[in-house]
Coordinates of all heavy atoms in Angstrom, one line a residue:
G1 N -26.5 -108.9 -5.4 CA -27.5 -109.8 -4.9 C -27.0 -111.1 -4.4 O -27.7 -112.1 -4.2
A2 N -25.7 -111.1 -4.1 CA -25.1 -112.4 -3.6 C -25.5 -112.6 -2.1 O -25.8 -111.6 -1.4 CB -23.6 -112.2 -3.6
K3 N -25.6 -113.8 -1.8 CA -26.0 -114.2 -0.4 C -24.7 -114.5 0.4 O -23.7 -115.0 -0.2 CB -26.8 -115.5 -0.4 CG -28.1 -115.4 -1.2 CD -29.1 -114.4 -0.6 CE -30.3 -114.4 -1.5 NZ -30.9 -113.1 -1.6
A4 N -24.7 -114.0 1.6 CA -23.5 -114.2 2.4 C -23.8 -114.4 3.9 O -24.8 -113.9 4.4 CB -22.5 -113.0 2.3
D5 N -22.9 -115.0 4.6 CA -22.9 -115.1 6.0 C -22.1 -114.0 6.6 O -20.9 -114.0 6.2 CB -22.4 -116.5 6.5 CG -22.5 -116.7 8.0 OD1 -23.2 -116.0 8.7 OD2 -21.7 -117.6 8.5
I6 N -22.6 -113.1 7.3 CA -21.9 -111.9 7.7 C -22.0 -111.8 9.2 O -23.1 -111.9 9.8 CB -22.5 -110.6 7.1 CG1 -22.4 -110.8 5.5 CG2 -21.7 -109.4 7.5 CD1 -23.2 -109.7 4.8
E7 N -20.9 -111.5 9.9 CA -20.9 -111.2 11.3 C -19.9 -110.0 11.5 O -18.8 -110.0 11.1 CB -20.3 -112.4 12.1 CG -20.4 -112.1 13.6 CD -19.9 -113.3 14.4 OE1 -19.6 -114.4 13.8 OE2 -19.8 -113.2 15.6
V8 N -20.5 -109.0 12.2 CA -19.8 -107.7 12.4 C -19.9 -107.4 13.9 O -21.1 -107.4 14.4 CB -20.3 -106.6 11.6 CG1 -19.5 -105.3 11.9 CG2 -20.2 -106.9 10.1
R9 N -18.8 -107.1 14.5 CA -18.8 -106.6 15.9 C -17.5 -105.8 16.1 O -16.8 -105.6 15.1 CB -19.0 -107.7 16.9 CG -17.9 -108.8 16.9 CD -18.2 -109.8 18.0 NE -17.1 -110.7 18.1 CZ -17.0 -111.9 17.6 NH1 -18.0 -112.4 16.8 NH2 -15.9 -112.7 17.8
E10 N -17.3 -105.3 17.2 CA -16.1 -104.5 17.5 C -14.8 -105.2 17.1 O -14.5 -106.3 17.5 CB -16.0 -104.1 19.0 CG -14.8 -103.3 19.4 CD -14.8 -101.9 18.8 OE1 -15.9 -101.3 18.6 OE2 -13.7 -101.4 18.7
A11 N -14.1 -104.6 16.2 CA -12.8 -105.1 15.7 C -12.9 -106.5 15.1 O -12.0 -107.3 15.1 CB -11.8 -105.0 16.8
Y12 N -14.1 -106.8 14.4 CA -14.3 -108.1 13.8 C -15.3 -108.0 12.7 O -16.4 -107.5 12.9 CB -14.9 -109.0 14.9 CG -15.0 -110.5 14.5 CD1 -14.1 -111.4 14.7 CD2 -16.2 -110.9 13.9 CE1 -14.2 -112.8 14.3 CE2 -16.4 -112.2 13.5 CZ -15.4 -113.1 13.7 OH -15.6 -114.4 13.3
F13 N -14.9 -108.4 11.5 CA -15.8 -108.4 10.4 C -15.6 -109.7 9.6 O -14.5 -109.9 9.0 CB -15.5 -107.2 9.5 CG -16.5 -106.9 8.4 CD1 -16.7 -105.5 8.0 CD2 -17.2 -107.8 7.7 CE1 -17.6 -105.2 7.0 CE2 -18.1 -107.5 6.7 CZ -18.3 -106.2 6.4
R14 N -16.6 -110.6 9.5 CA -16.5 -111.8 8.8 C -17.5 -111.8 7.7 O -18.7 -111.6 8.0 CB -16.7 -113.0 9.7 CG -16.4 -114.4 9.0 CD -16.5 -115.6 9.9 NE -17.8 -115.6 10.7 CZ -19.0 -116.0 10.2 NH1 -19.1 -116.4 9.0 NH2 -20.0 -116.0 11.0
F15 N -17.1 -112.1 6.5 CA -18.0 -112.2 5.3 C -17.6 -113.4 4.5 O -16.5 -113.6 4.0 CB -17.7 -110.9 4.5 CG -18.5 -110.9 3.2 CD1 -19.7 -110.2 3.2 CD2 -18.1 -111.5 2.0 CE1 -20.5 -110.1 2.0 CE2 -18.9 -111.4 0.9 CZ -20.1 -110.7 0.9
I16 N -18.6 -114.3 4.4 CA -18.4 -115.6 3.6 C -19.6 -115.7 2.7 O -20.8 -115.7 3.1 CB -18.4 -116.8 4.5 CG1 -17.3 -116.7 5.6 CG2 -18.1 -118.1 3.7 CD1 -15.9 -116.7 5.2
L17 N -19.3 -115.8 1.4 CA -20.4 -116.1 0.4 C -21.0 -117.4 0.6 O -20.3 -118.4 0.9 CB -19.8 -116.0 -1.0 CG -19.3 -114.7 -1.6 CD1 -18.5 -114.9 -2.8 CD2 -20.5 -113.8 -1.8
T18 N -22.3 -117.4 0.5 CA -23.0 -118.7 0.7 C -23.6 -119.2 -0.6 O -24.3 -120.3 -0.7 CB -24.2 -118.6 1.7 OG1 -25.1 -117.5 1.3 CG2 -23.6 -118.3 3.1
D19 N -23.4 -118.4 -1.7 CA -23.8 -118.9 -3.0 C -22.7 -118.5 -4.0 O -21.8 -117.7 -3.6 CB -25.2 -118.4 -3.5 CG -25.3 -116.9 -3.5 OD1 -24.3 -116.2 -3.3 OD2 -26.4 -116.4 -3.8
K20 N -22.7 -119.0 -5.2 CA -21.6 -118.7 -6.1 C -22.1 -117.7 -7.1 O -23.1 -118.0 -7.9 CB -21.2 -120.0 -6.8 CG -20.5 -120.9 -5.8 CD -20.0 -122.1 -6.5 CE -19.6 -123.1 -5.4 NZ -18.4 -123.6 -5.3
F21 N -21.5 -116.5 -7.2 CA -21.7 -115.5 -8.1 C -20.4 -115.2 -8.8 O -19.4 -114.9 -8.2 CB -22.2 -114.2 -7.5 CG -23.7 -114.0 -7.4 CD1 -24.4 -114.6 -6.3 CD2 -24.3 -113.3 -8.3 CE1 -25.7 -114.4 -6.3 CE2 -25.7 -113.1 -8.2 CZ -26.4 -113.7 -7.2
L22 N -20.4 -115.4 -10.1 CA -19.1 -115.1 -10.8 C -18.7 -113.7 -10.6 O -17.5 -113.4 -10.4 CB -19.3 -115.3 -12.3 CG -19.6 -116.7 -12.8 CD1 -19.8 -116.8 -14.3 CD2 -18.4 -117.6 -12.4
E23 N -19.6 -112.7 -10.5 CA -19.2 -111.3 -10.3 C -18.7 -111.1 -8.9 O -17.9 -110.2 -8.7 CB -20.5 -110.5 -10.5 CG -20.2 -109.0 -10.6 CD -21.4 -108.2 -10.9 OE1 -22.4 -108.7 -11.4 OE2 -21.4 -107.0 -10.6
A24 N -19.0 -111.9 -8.0 CA -18.6 -111.7 -6.6 C -17.1 -111.8 -6.4 O -16.5 -111.0 -5.7 CB -19.3 -112.7 -5.7
E25 N -16.5 -112.8 -7.1 CA -15.1 -112.9 -6.9 C -14.3 -111.7 -7.4 O -13.3 -111.4 -6.8 CB -14.5 -114.2 -7.6 CG -13.1 -114.4 -7.2 CD -12.4 -115.6 -7.9 OE1 -12.9 -116.0 -9.0 OE2 -11.4 -116.0 -7.4
S26 N -14.7 -111.0 -8.4 CA -14.0 -109.9 -8.9 C -14.0 -108.8 -7.8 O -13.0 -108.1 -7.6 CB -14.5 -109.3 -10.2 OG -15.8 -108.9 -10.1
H27 N -15.1 -108.6 -7.1 CA -15.1 -107.6 -6.0 C -14.2 -108.0 -4.9 O -13.5 -107.2 -4.3 CB -16.5 -107.5 -5.5 CG -17.4 -106.8 -6.5 ND1 -17.5 -105.4 -6.7 CD2 -18.3 -107.3 -7.4 CE1 -18.3 -105.1 -7.6 NE2 -18.9 -106.3 -8.0
L28 N -14.2 -109.3 -4.5 CA -13.3 -109.8 -3.5 C -11.8 -109.7 -3.9 O -11.0 -109.3 -3.0 CB -13.6 -111.2 -3.1 CG -15.0 -111.4 -2.4 CD1 -15.3 -112.9 -2.2 CD2 -14.9 -110.8 -1.0
K29 N -11.5 -109.9 -5.1 CA -10.2 -109.7 -5.6 C -9.7 -108.3 -5.5 O -8.6 -108.0 -5.2 CB -10.0 -110.2 -7.1 CG -10.0 -111.7 -7.2 CD -9.8 -112.1 -8.7 CE -9.6 -113.6 -8.9 NZ -9.4 -113.9 -10.3
G30 N -10.7 -107.4 -5.8 CA -10.4 -105.9 -5.7 C -10.1 -105.6 -4.3 O -9.2 -104.8 -4.0
L31 N -10.9 -106.1 -3.3 CA -10.7 -105.8 -1.9 C -9.3 -106.4 -1.5 O -8.5 -105.7 -0.8 CB -11.8 -106.4 -1.1 CG -11.6 -106.3 0.5 CD1 -11.6 -104.9 0.9 CD2 -12.6 -107.2 1.2
K32 N -9.0 -107.6 -2.0 CA -7.7 -108.2 -1.6 C -6.5 -107.3 -2.1 O -5.6 -107.1 -1.4 CB -7.6 -109.6 -2.2 CG -6.4 -110.3 -1.8 CD -6.4 -111.8 -2.3 CE -5.1 -112.5 -1.9 NZ -4.8 -113.6 -2.7

């Protein structure tokens, strides 16, 4: 349920959280 600014197009994917969720960082750390 995190809010994010997302832009996706050919060969481009931008995802920026717009609110703070403690759980969100663990998912981003996993992706990293």
Side-chain angles (χ1 to χ4, degrees):
K3 304 293 183 216
D5 181 22
I6 303 169
E7 183 179 355
V8 179
R9 58 180 191 263
E10 178 66 27
Y12 184 95
F13 192 148
R14 185 176 54 79
F15 178 96
I16 306 291
L17 290 169
T18 57
D19 60 3
K20 296 185 192 238
F21 265 83
L22 294 176
E23 190 176 343
E25 188 184 20
S26 63
H27 291 280
L28 290 170
K29 283 182 175 180
L31 176 65
K32 183 178 183 199

